[in-house]
Amino acid sequence: MKKSVKNNILMLYIMNIAQLILPLITLPYLTRVLTVNGYGVVNYVKSLMMYITLIIEFGFTLSGTKEIVEAENNKAKINQIISKITISKTILSVLALIVLIVMIFTIPLLRQYPLYTILSFLPSFLTIYLFDYFFRGIEKMQIITERYVIMRGTATALTFLLVKSEDQLLLIPILDIIGSVLASAWVLLILKKMGIHFVKVSFSTIVNDLKVSFTYFVSNIASTAFGALNTLFVGIILSTRDIAYWSLIMTLVTAVQSMYSPISDGIYPRMVAKKSFRLFAKIILFFAPFLILGTVITYFGASIIIGLVGGSKYYNASIYLQQCVPLLIVSFFSILCGWPLLGAINKVRETTLTTIFAAILQVLGLALLIVIDKFNITTLIILRTITEVALLVTRIGYSYKYRKLFNYSELETEN
């Protein structure tokens, strides 16, 4: 692998580790200083803000990265790209805020904590000024990692210092805002030093930009939506014990899959620039042994892993973690065959169609399991694995169909 690709993946791995560790440090502390009700409010609003952020991002992490790569360090083009995406995200933020206000008036829990909810919106809004897509496009992943550590590290440290009881509940989003402001100011300073600044862009350019990014957004929202649908039906149909088991298992599966993202994100800019199938193959071959080792440990050490994470009362859930091993293997390849492979050759529509197809298959499978009264954790894991296989197969099919668009020449020599 080229040195810059290795560095990109390493930096994104460091960020993912920070994303896993910092919440694990903060949330147990909050359970001690907040009541059950207060802790429930924090987690519910935090989950809601994840979807709000998804609306604001609107797929620009991928489409913006692609545009920055294709700008080839042309400052004028980069200034225009950053300007139009910033305006687009601001428009989306206003729409998201309107939706959030409607939800505050209609959802009882949010209606009880309107100020907390609005304050929690601001860190999501401030993501506009982090410009992740720009730094991904110029392959400066360390800046993304550094600003995340500044943002979340500051909020985490201040939480321990200042939040001592539920009377200080509003401090939680305020501290997140402080961390986000510091990170945004730091990033804007970096852009200024690089000679990047905002320019005027036409309204038609912004509309066109939203249209282009919409395809990426649909793909992201589809993959998020059917995951949420699984959890919704588990909460409606299964017992309280099974709900707890499912939540624990999916937390572990999501944690593992989040470790695939740095590989996907790290290779994406180079694949857009070079469209090198040899690079893609080298990435697969390099990480395959780690994937095999990890899944073997997961299968044979399932009970130990469950015991460490959930305690002895969750030991019965270890069988479900073993059943997830095929899912963990297949999802590694389906993720890498998505944006880093198909997206790199500008097959955005095809990549999105594969995700939508998998989402539809998942919904139909859920309906079938409910109708034939076979809805349980095991069958749900099997269905989830089948849909992931379908996602992988369709992506491989499209990759083969458009194989002539890849570059099969030798990789460029390292600098």
Side-chain angles (χ1 to χ4, degrees):
M1 284 184 292
K2 193 168 174 62
K3 185 176 179 180
S4 60
V5 175
K6 292 179 182 177
N7 185 64
N8 290 343
I9 294 173
L10 176 62
M11 287 298 104
L12 289 174
Y13 258 119
I14 292 173
M15 186 175 75
N16 270 42
I17 291 170
Q19 287 174 329
L20 289 172
I21 291 176
L22 291 177
L24 288 177
I25 294 173
T26 307
L27 294 182
Y29 173 75
L30 291 177
T31 59
R32 295 196 294 271
V33 299
L34 301 177
T35 65
V36 175
N37 182 61
Y39 186 68
V41 171
V42 170
N43 278 278
Y44 183 82
V45 174
K46 189 179 292 290
S47 297
L48 178 61
M49 291 309 147
M50 289 175 61
Y51 291 97
I52 291 293
T53 302
L54 197 62
I55 294 173
I56 295 172
E57 285 301 316
F58 207 70
F60 284 116
T61 300
L62 291 166
S63 64
T65 298
K66 185 173 181 294
E67 283 196 79
I68 293 295
V69 171
E70 292 173 346
E72 298 180 334
N73 295 319
N74 184 311
K75 288 281 182 72
K77 288 182 179 179
I78 290 174
N79 288 338
Q80 185 176 49
I81 292 167
I82 283 183
S83 299
K84 67 181 181 178
I85 290 179
T86 301
I87 295 172
S88 297
K89 285 188 173 186
T90 302
I91 294 170
L92 291 166
S93 296
V94 173
L95 296 175
L97 180 59
I98 293 172
V99 171
L100 183 62
I101 291 172
V102 172
M103 294 177 72
I104 290 173
F105 281 103
T106 55
I107 299 175
L109 187 146
L110 298 181
R111 194 161 58 239
Q112 293 177 36
Y113 299 89
L115 183 56
Y116 181 90
T117 305
I118 294 296
L119 288 174
S120 297
F121 169 81
L122 291 178
S124 295
F125 170 74
L126 288 170
T127 60
I128 295 173
Y129 303 103
L130 297 179
F131 306 102
D132 275 10
Y133 60 90
F134 170 70
F135 295 111
R136 289 175 192 270
I138 63 172
E139 299 190 63
K140 297 291 183 183
M141 307 303 184
Q142 73 274 13
I143 295 177
I144 298 175
T145 301
E146 289 166 359
R147 66 86 183 154
Y148 179 82
V149 172
I150 289 173
M151 181 173 67
R152 295 307 313 157
T154 300
T156 299
L158 291 176
T159 297
F160 280 104
L161 287 173
L162 301 176
V163 179
K164 302 298 180 182
S165 70
E166 190 158 324
D167 293 337
Q168 299 165 311
L169 191 67
L170 289 178
L171 273 178
I172 296 173
I174 290 173
L175 297 180
D176 282 340
I177 293 169
I178 292 172
S180 298
V181 168
L182 289 175
S184 299
W186 183 68
V187 168
L188 287 170
L189 183 60
I190 291 175
L191 291 182
K192 184 178 180 181
K193 288 180 178 179
M194 295 175 69
I196 305 300
H197 58 270
F198 296 108
V199 297
K200 284 186 177 182
V201 291
S202 66
F203 182 73
S204 60
T205 300
I206 294 169
V207 172
N208 183 66
D209 209 40
L210 287 168
K211 287 179 180 178
V212 171
S213 193
F214 179 72
T215 309
Y216 293 90
F217 171 70
V218 169
S219 179
N220 290 338
I221 203 73
S223 60
T224 303
F226 70 78
L229 195 61
N230 289 343
T231 302
L232 174 65
F233 279 109
V234 165
I236 294 173
I237 298 173
L238 301 185
S239 66
T240 304
R241 183 196 64 181
D242 284 340
I243 294 170
Y245 285 176
W246 173 260
S247 299
L248 179 62
I249 295 301
M250 285 301 105
T251 298
L252 292 173
V253 168
T254 302
V256 173
Q257 290 177 331
S258 71
M259 303 306 288
Y260 301 159
S261 296
I263 305 172
S264 175
D265 294 341
I267 191 179
Y268 179 67
R270 185 53 55 94
M271 284 295 294
V272 169
K274 302 297 182 181
K275 298 174 177 55
S276 171
F277 192 83
R278 288 179 180 272
L279 173 61
F280 180 80
K282 281 198 171 187
I283 292 288
I284 294 292
L285 292 174
F286 180 84
F287 284 101
F290 297 101
L291 176 66
I292 293 170
L293 178 62
T295 51
V296 168
I297 292 173
T298 300
Y299 185 84
F300 290 103
S303 60
I304 297 174
I305 295 170
I306 292 295
L308 289 173
V309 176
S312 58
K313 60 184 177 181
Y314 285 95
Y315 276 139
N316 290 337
S318 59
I319 182 64
Y320 301 128
L321 182 57
Q322 290 177 323
Q323 292 169 354
C324 284
V325 166
L327 171 61
L328 294 175
I329 295 172
V330 176
S331 61
F332 172 80
F333 295 100
S334 66
I335 289 171
L336 286 185
C337 287
W339 296 116
L341 190 62
L342 274 178
I345 56 173
N346 206 31
K347 295 303 173 184
V348 177
R349 177 177 173 274
E350 287 77 4
T351 308
T352 301
L353 285 175
T354 61
T355 306
I356 294 174
F357 171 72
I360 293 172
L361 185 62
Q362 179 77 14
V363 171
L364 294 175
L366 286 172
L368 178 63
L369 291 177
I370 294 169
V371 169
I372 65 176
D373 195 25
K374 295 293 182 181
F375 188 96
N376 55 58
I377 294 178
T378 296
T379 57
L380 198 51
I381 292 171
I382 293 172
L383 174 62
R384 185 69 185 83
T385 305
I386 290 173
T387 57
E388 201 71 36
V389 170
L391 182 64
L392 174 60
V393 170
T394 52
R395 286 180 171 178
I396 290 175
Y398 275 125
S399 299
Y400 180 78
K401 179 179 179 180
Y402 299 108
R403 61 192 181 279
K404 292 182 180 179
L405 298 178
F406 291 107
N407 174 18
Y408 295 93
S409 61
E410 291 294 331
L411 289 172
E412 65 273 25
T413 57
E414 292 192 11
N415 296 327

